[in-house]
Amino acid sequence: MSAAGAIMDRMTTVPLTAPRGDETADPGEAVPAETEPSAAPVGIVELSERVAASVLTRFPWLVRASEIMLALFTLVCLVAVGTRLSALPLLPIPLFVVSWLFLRRLRGSETRAQQLRWSLLMALAAMVGFWVISVVARWVS
């Protein structure tokens, strides 16, 4: 047995009925210190599911704001076609549409796992769309 284990075995608490500073309490009446059962270890997936669910619960307007932002990004791409006189700014639009579809699935999801899955896929599709915008900007300029 380790030294820490031996110390934990000898640890006792003074009964709550003893006055403060009373060291004359009978050690036989002392209640052994109870250790609380530790919660089951939480993995990164379960933690991510909890975070995604809590964010969606606390901020229900976030899904609507994301839809509006995706519509604005698509509109900017369409305006860029007219100002650049090139079809290259149309490349990210399919990714924004896919992101919007994932967002619609997120709105209808019922479990934490589904909420995490659809929010990650939506964010990934939007990020790839932004990356495509940066690549197109280098090609056009």
Side-chain angles (χ1 to χ4, degrees):
M1 184 180 296
S2 69
I7 291 172
M8 292 299 289
D9 287 341
R10 292 188 309 208
M11 287 181 65
T12 57
T13 58
V14 177
L16 294 176
T17 57
R20 189 173 199 111
D22 183 14
E23 301 298 328
T24 61
D26 184 18
E29 294 177 7
V31 179
E34 295 180 18
T35 58
E36 294 182 19
S38 62
V42 178
I44 188 73
V45 174
E46 293 168 344
L47 181 63
S48 301
E49 288 173 358
R50 286 183 186 178
V51 169
S54 68
V55 166
L56 291 172
T57 303
R58 287 184 184 175
F59 307 108
W61 52 267
L62 194 61
V63 174
R64 186 70 172 156
S66 299
E67 286 178 341
I68 292 169
M69 292 302 293
L70 285 172
L72 287 174
F73 299 148
T74 304
L75 182 67
V76 167
C77 290
L78 292 173
V79 168
V81 169
T83 59
R84 294 286 187 168
L85 299 176
S86 172
L88 286 177
L90 293 175
L91 288 176
I93 290 178
L95 290 164
F96 292 146
V97 169
V98 168
S99 181
W100 178 77
L101 291 173
F102 289 150
L103 195 60
R104 300 296 289 180
R105 298 284 288 223
L106 172 65
R107 182 178 279 187
S109 62
E110 296 175 358
T111 64
R112 287 181 176 175
Q114 289 175 344
Q115 289 174 343
L116 177 65
R117 178 184 314 125
W118 295 121
S119 61
L120 285 177
L121 287 173
M122 186 274 304
L124 181 66
M127 285 189 292
V128 171
F130 287 128
W131 176 77
V132 170
I133 285 176
S134 70
V135 170
V136 166
R138 278 186 260 147
W139 287 346
V140 172
S141 60

